[in-house]
Amino acid sequence: MHAPRFSQLDRLLTDTRELWQFMPFSTSQAEWEQRHPALTHWLLGLDEPQLASLRENPDQLATALSHWIPQAGAMQALSALDALPQVKRITPRGLDTGIPGRKWQQLQAFNGVLPALSLPWLEWCAGKGFLGRVLAATHKTPVTSLEWQQALCESGETAARKLALPMTFVHGDAFSPDSGKFILSQQHAVALHACGDLHVSLLQRVAERKGQAVSVSPCCYHLIRDKVYQPMSTLAKHSGLRLSKHDLRLPLQETVTAGNRVRNLRFVEVSFRLGFDSLQRSVTGENVYLPVPNVQKALLNDGFAAFSRWAAKQKGLALPDNIDFSHWQHVGEQRFDWVERLELLRQLFRRPLEMWLVYDRACFMEESGYDVTVGTFCDKPITPRNIMIHAQLKD
């Protein structure tokens, strides 16, 4: 039963929500320092090598922050997962045609931890049916692949015919009530990285129709249709946490070692956005963060002044003629440094919040009469979204 772990994580995340449930972009350093002086002093004292080391080592980060956040160690322990046992399943040659290398590794790892139940498969949000190919070829059981984009269905069908695989593609909307008819009692439903409400809808439909088994790897928790997260389990519905889409993005902010070009580009864009925000606050007299739309990266090469004029136009803001753009660019760079340190702090809560969401799903399936297993199906370099929830109807 996963309810005890959920309840413990829920209490810890609720008690510490002031430290993660906020937007670093709009958080004043002065106000933060007033509330958390010692923690702020420590964050500001970190040099670049220390920041990099802490970003890449969650255990080290939890140990360091435990001086100010006593719940850090418990959250880290509750977020740990065992690797699911892998079975080596040999795939025929040519099956990986058209599948990117890392995706192929993910598919093989996901398939390697699936129990062999000798049931037909339902591939939810199938795309071109890459996972279905692997399942049909290695388990020798038929696959129904549900996908809402007709072009992907046609591409998948063509590949399946060439490979002589027992796959049937269905053009359908996973959100439509009609999609429930594809879930059968004697069937194993699967979804690898179906985003947000798409994998939620699969779990709900399987529970409603008492499908024999379902295995999902959750992804993109923030892609939901409601403005705030809708809890699934009874426990989560009674939680004091209310999660916005911004909160739900936190589990996806995985620290990945990026090249210098990517790091520099991020520094330029984020510091430009923060510099423009400080500028617009000065112009409007309103101390409120103003988000601007996505920008074509080429515009960043034109400099901060060009970016600011573009952003002002997007927001219908008239800028004075005598702006010292170099000053506001410097302000943005200073704010970038502060935001980076707040993001490091929030990183402590990234996996605990993801496990809160995962255990909400696991508890929902347990409440619906299923035995549930939660574990990892691959190492993080293959994909950071490496968690599988497997639910099987109790006898």
Side-chain angles (χ1 to χ4, degrees):
M1 295 293 288
H2 296 89
R5 281 205 161 205
F6 175 88
S7 296
Q8 292 175 67
L9 274 172
D10 184 61
R11 186 185 71 255
L12 294 169
L13 286 168
T14 301
D15 290 346
T16 57
R17 57 186 159 188
E18 182 188 6
L19 297 170
W20 61 268
Q21 203 168 30
F22 66 92
M23 298 182 67
F25 265 46
S26 59
T27 301
S28 161
Q29 181 175 332
E31 292 176 4
W32 187 271
E33 189 166 12
Q34 189 174 13
R35 294 199 308 271
H36 308 285
L39 179 55
T40 302
H41 179 75
W42 178 76
L43 287 170
L44 292 174
L46 296 171
D47 59 26
E48 282 303 318
Q50 289 172 318
L51 284 169
S53 178
L54 291 170
R55 287 191 195 104
E56 295 169 9
N57 192 323
D59 291 332
Q60 183 183 342
L61 178 63
T63 299
L65 284 172
S66 64
H67 295 290
W68 300 278
I69 307 171
Q71 301 92 338
M75 285 192 298
Q76 193 74 0
L78 288 166
S79 302
L81 280 178
D82 292 331
L84 296 168
Q86 281 274 352
V87 175
K88 184 68 174 177
R89 292 182 168 126
I90 305 301
T91 52
R93 294 182 64 179
L95 201 68
D96 59 345
T97 301
I99 304 176
R102 182 167 294 182
K103 187 66 176 179
W104 179 244
Q105 289 179 290
Q106 294 171 18
L107 295 168
Q108 290 184 300
F110 189 85
N111 182 39
V113 301
L114 290 171
L117 303 177
S118 300
L119 293 171
W121 303 94
L122 173 64
E123 183 186 13
W124 196 253
C125 304
K128 294 182 181 180
F130 291 158
L131 176 60
R133 283 190 210 175
V134 175
L135 298 177
T138 58
H139 294 266
K140 311 299 183 185
T141 46
V143 178
T144 299
S145 299
L146 178 72
E147 171 54 45
W148 75 276
Q149 293 189 57
Q150 182 67 46
L152 297 184
C153 287
E154 292 169 359
S155 177
E157 285 176 337
T158 300
R161 282 198 300 270
K162 286 181 179 178
L163 295 165
L165 296 174
M167 296 179 66
T168 302
F169 279 79
V170 176
H171 178 222
D173 182 359
F175 287 137
S176 169
D178 291 342
S179 65
K181 67 186 179 185
F182 298 110
I183 294 171
L184 309 177
S185 58
Q186 292 301 304
Q187 182 189 62
H188 191 164
V190 291
L192 173 59
H193 296 160
C195 294
D197 278 348
L198 288 170
H199 72 259
V200 167
S201 69
L202 174 59
L203 294 174
Q204 290 171 331
R205 282 165 171 70
V206 168
E208 288 167 5
R209 301 180 72 87
K210 298 301 179 188
Q212 185 63 32
V214 59
S215 304
V216 302
S217 176
C219 185
C220 300
Y221 302 95
H222 64 291
L223 295 181
I224 57 176
R225 291 167 291 176
D226 293 292
K227 291 184 178 180
V228 296
Y229 179 68
Q230 301 300 309
M232 298 183 69
S233 65
T234 302
L235 278 173
K237 288 175 182 176
H238 287 98
S239 169
L241 291 180
R242 295 293 178 268
L243 302 176
S244 67
K245 290 182 181 181
H246 172 73
D247 297 328
L248 295 172
R249 288 179 182 273
L250 178 58
L252 309 177
Q253 293 172 0
E254 191 78 15
T255 55
V256 177
T257 302
N260 286 332
R261 189 188 69 83
V262 173
R263 286 199 301 269
N264 290 338
L265 183 62
R266 180 176 182 274
F267 168 74
V268 170
E269 179 172 358
V270 174
S271 63
F272 278 16
R273 288 178 177 275
L274 292 169
F276 172 74
D277 177 60
S278 294
L279 166 60
Q280 68 84 20
R281 292 183 195 221
S282 175
V283 170
T284 63
E286 296 183 11
N287 194 27
V288 178
Y289 177 72
L290 183 67
V292 296
N294 290 331
V295 61
Q296 291 187 352
K297 305 307 179 190
L299 178 62
L300 301 175
N301 296 328
D302 296 337
F304 177 70
F307 173 85
S308 296
R309 293 189 181 100
W310 169 84
K313 184 178 179 181
Q314 301 300 310
K315 306 306 291 189
L317 176 64
L319 294 180
D321 295 330
N322 60 341
I323 292 174
D324 183 354
F325 286 107
S326 62
H327 165 74
W328 294 111
Q329 181 176 351
H330 179 64
V331 170
E333 291 170 356
Q334 289 180 312
R335 285 184 63 186
F336 174 86
D337 183 68
W338 173 237
V339 166
E340 286 287 277
R341 292 161 198 274
L342 289 183
E343 290 292 7
L344 176 69
L345 170 65
R346 293 181 79 235
Q347 186 180 316
L348 172 69
F349 303 92
R350 187 194 57 76
R351 195 67 161 189
L353 181 57
E354 180 167 23
M355 293 313 305
W356 187 99
L357 293 164
V358 166
Y359 287 139
D360 178 28
R361 288 148 175 74
C363 290
F364 167 76
M365 295 306 294
E366 287 176 339
E367 292 169 2
S368 301
Y370 287 76
D371 288 318
V372 180
T373 302
V374 176
T376 60
F377 65 91
C378 67
D379 294 331
K380 283 191 177 183
I382 297 176
T383 173
R385 305 277 71 76
N386 64 349
I387 298 172
M388 176 188 280
I389 305 168
H390 172 73
Q392 199 162 324
L393 194 64
K394 291 181 179 178
D395 297 332

